[in-house]
């Protein structure tokens, strides 16, 4: 469950490169550090730029601070070692208690997730407004097995009437927990399984195992999501940090061409939804990175 073990696991299925002596991962032509986000990389922008050119990546992104004054970039985390239902907002307390009454939340082994989790994944996927192909049952099971090769992968399930109705998969790296994926069956949302899992996860990792924090990841710009807003209502918080970005010439042209604005007038979001969504996300990140640079936020020692 160390960073070295996680890097080795990532290297089995993706490209891992050393940038200023630290591991970065190339995924989907995007380059980013593998260390937890509270450990900003030591690499200079020029070193990242050389790595970008050497790997053929289009974009490299990272943050060079942690828990700074408010900025337009953040990670959604829970880091309260005393996290408890009594300290949650009133509505969150009500929903967590309802979820714990109606659901059983527990750790699940990879085989159980592969078997019972696919129906949840499929039901959730059918509600998404996305233009990608869903995994088959075989593909889902194969992905679960690949993930389970890393000993720090831990999965949780919420069960109502003996049936899995939601699940969450976590990656433990040193003293940090990354919430890699979470799915719930929309037909069972009245059982409040998301509330029950999010609560039990945070309490287990923070109170029982004394982890530094649990995070759902950085601010979402690629698509609309309500899950991070949900976590904030559950007592999680925004950890602000300056976003840094290095773009290839092609990515810079796409990000600053205004295509994210005039493309909608030409209906590109309907004619070419996937590439257009990527251009929109890239343009948004570019604007945010420039706002962070202008803000000149202090960079505290983590």
């Amino acid at each position: 469950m160390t960073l070295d073990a996680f890097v080795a696991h990532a290297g089995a299925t993706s490209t891992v490169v050393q940038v200023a002596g630290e591991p970065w991962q190339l995924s989907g032509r995007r380059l980013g550090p593998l260390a937890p986000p509270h450990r900003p990389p030591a690499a200079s922008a020029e070193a990242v730029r050389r790595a970008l050119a050497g790997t053929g990546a289009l974009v490299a992104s990272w943050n060079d601070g942690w828990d700074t004054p408010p900025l337009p970039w953040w990670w959604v985390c829970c880091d309260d070692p005393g996290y408890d239902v009594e300290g949650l907002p009133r509505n969150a307390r009500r929903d967590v208690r309802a979820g714990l009454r109606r659901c059983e939340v527990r750790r699940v082994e990879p085989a159980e997730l592969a078997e019972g989790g696919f129906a949840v994944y499929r039901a959730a996927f059918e509600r998404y407004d996305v233009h990608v192909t869903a995994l088959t049952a075989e593909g889902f099971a194969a992905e679960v097995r690949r993930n389970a090769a890393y000993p720090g992968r831990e999965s949780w399930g919420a069960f109502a009437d003996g049936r899995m109705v939601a699940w969450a998969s976590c990656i433990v790296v040193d003293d940090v927990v990354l919430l890699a994926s979470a799915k719930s069956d929309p037909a069972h949302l009245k059982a409040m399984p998301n509330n029950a899992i999010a609560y039990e996860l945070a309490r287990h990792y923070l109170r029982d195992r004394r982890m530094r924090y649990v995070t759902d990841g950085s601010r979402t710009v690629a698509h609309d999501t309500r899950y991070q807003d949900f976590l904030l209502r559950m007592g999680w918080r925004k950890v602000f940090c300056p976003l840094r970005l290095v773009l290839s010439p092609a990515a810079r042209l796409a990000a600053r061409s205004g295509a994210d604005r005039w493309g909608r007038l030409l209906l590109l979001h309907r004619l070419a939804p996937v590439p257009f969504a990527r251009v929109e996300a890239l343009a948004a990140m570019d604007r945010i990175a420039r706002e962070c640079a202008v803000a000149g936020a202090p960079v505290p020692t983590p």
Side-chain angles (χ1 to χ4, degrees):
M1 295 187 293
T2 64
L3 177 59
D4 288 344
F6 182 57
V7 170
H9 173 69
T13 56
S14 63
T15 299
V16 175
V17 298
Q18 294 293 314
V19 183
E22 297 172 330
W24 289 51
Q25 181 181 36
L26 178 64
S27 177
R29 302 195 72 181
R30 177 174 173 177
L31 194 62
L34 277 167
H38 72 277
R39 294 168 52 181
S44 65
E46 183 55 37
V48 176
R49 195 170 287 109
R50 289 195 298 269
L52 191 80
T55 59
L58 293 174
V59 57
S61 62
W62 71 101
N63 56 276
D64 64 6
W66 186 251
D67 219 353
T68 69
L71 283 164
W73 191 250
W74 59 77
W75 285 65
V76 174
C77 300
C78 190
D79 58 358
D80 178 5
Y83 187 77
D84 185 77
V85 67
E86 296 298 334
L88 299 180
R90 179 179 179 182
N91 289 345
R93 289 200 305 271
R94 178 199 63 202
D95 293 343
V96 165
R97 286 170 174 153
L100 294 177
R101 284 196 310 270
R102 299 167 188 172
C103 299
E104 174 197 6
V105 177
R106 59 176 172 82
R107 286 274 301 276
V108 295
E109 295 300 320
E112 187 175 13
L113 178 62
E115 181 178 354
F118 176 72
V120 175
Y121 162 82
R122 188 72 192 196
F125 191 91
E126 290 174 353
R127 293 289 186 95
Y128 294 163
D129 183 21
V130 295
H131 301 274
V132 295
T133 303
L135 292 171
T136 63
E138 294 76 14
F140 179 81
E143 184 173 283
V144 170
R145 289 193 296 271
R146 283 194 299 271
N147 292 337
Y150 173 61
R153 176 71 72 150
E154 300 180 358
S155 297
W156 297 72
F159 298 80
D161 299 324
R163 173 186 174 186
M164 187 183 296
V165 297
W167 55 262
S169 187
C170 300
I171 301 171
V172 180
V173 182
D174 292 335
D175 60 350
V176 169
V177 182
L178 312 173
L179 181 55
S181 183
K183 297 287 183 287
S184 60
D185 186 339
H188 294 271
L189 292 182
K190 289 184 178 180
M192 303 294 180
N194 291 327
N195 306 75
I197 284 187
Y199 173 74
E200 290 286 29
L201 281 179
R203 191 171 69 161
H204 172 79
Y205 290 116
L206 297 173
R207 295 187 59 185
D208 299 345
R209 291 171 59 176
R210 313 304 292 180
M211 294 293 182
R212 184 181 183 120
Y213 58 82
V214 184
T215 178
D216 177 55
S218 59
R219 173 181 174 178
T220 301
V221 296
H223 54 84
D224 291 332
T225 177
R226 297 180 181 177
Y227 192 69
Q228 291 189 332
D229 291 336
F230 157 74
L231 290 176
L232 294 173
R233 293 194 298 271
M234 285 286 296
W236 297 40
R237 72 182 182 101
K238 295 177 181 178
V239 176
F240 297 100
C241 46
L243 173 66
R244 303 305 184 215
L245 205 65
V246 171
L247 302 176
S248 70
R252 187 181 303 108
L253 178 62
R256 300 181 183 178
S257 65
D260 58 315
R261 297 186 299 273
W262 54 257
R264 286 193 172 271
L265 298 176
L266 299 178
L267 302 180
L268 293 184
H269 59 295
R270 297 180 182 176
L271 299 173
V274 173
F276 184 73
R278 290 172 179 165
V279 169
E280 281 192 314
L282 189 61
M285 290 187 70
D286 183 52
R287 286 193 297 270
I288 291 169
R290 284 185 283 160
E291 289 174 17
C292 289
V294 170
V299 182
T301 301

